[in-house]
Amino acid sequence: MRRYAKPIVVADDLGLLRGQTTGVVTLPRHLDWSGAADYNLDSSGRIVDLYRTVLIEATNADDLHAFLDQMVLTRLWPSIWLPPELRRAWEQRFPELRRAASEVSAA
């Protein structure tokens, strides 16, 4: 089994996640070096891409606070693919995310 090699960064409090929720966001190079760092948050596919990218590539909690929003994260959580270790760390800190995911799978 392959282990997740990146350091895992988890927010201290979901209430601190107050990122932009509409319009276009451009991620800094340390989060997205792909050359396609502009994300239109009004596009359902691109917002999921932005959240996945920030969750995986965040180097500190400030990255999370700047680009994620609590309500959007909770809504998108069940549909964001994440490495299992990263998902587990977030769900251990915030059981409400695990509940949101289980409610969607039960529906």
Side-chain angles (χ1 to χ4, degrees):
M1 179 167 108
R2 195 171 142 204
R3 307 287 298 162
Y4 188 66
K6 295 182 68 61
I8 293 175
V9 179
V10 179
D12 294 324
D13 181 340
L14 288 179
L16 297 174
L17 304 178
R18 299 177 183 264
Q20 188 174 326
T21 59
T22 61
V24 176
V25 171
T26 301
L27 290 179
R29 185 155 315 279
H30 77 277
L31 292 176
D32 188 334
W33 56 91
S34 71
D38 295 333
Y39 294 83
N40 182 347
L41 301 184
D42 300 316
S43 167
S44 60
R46 289 301 281 164
I47 195 169
V48 169
D49 290 344
L50 176 128
Y51 274 64
R52 180 180 56 246
T53 299
V54 171
L55 287 162
I56 291 172
E57 301 298 335
T59 58
N60 58 57
D62 290 339
D63 290 336
L64 303 169
H65 302 159
F67 296 105
L68 303 181
D69 175 79
Q70 176 183 3
M71 297 300 290
V72 174
L73 177 67
T74 302
R75 178 173 50 86
L76 295 178
W77 187 256
S79 62
I80 301 172
W81 179 91
L82 295 170
E85 296 89 345
L86 180 61
R87 179 173 293 280
R88 195 169 23 259
W90 275 81
E91 290 179 351
Q92 285 175 347
R93 173 90 41 94
F94 305 110
E96 59 268 38
L97 294 176
R98 186 173 40 246
R99 284 193 296 274
S102 67
E103 288 171 7
V104 169
S105 64

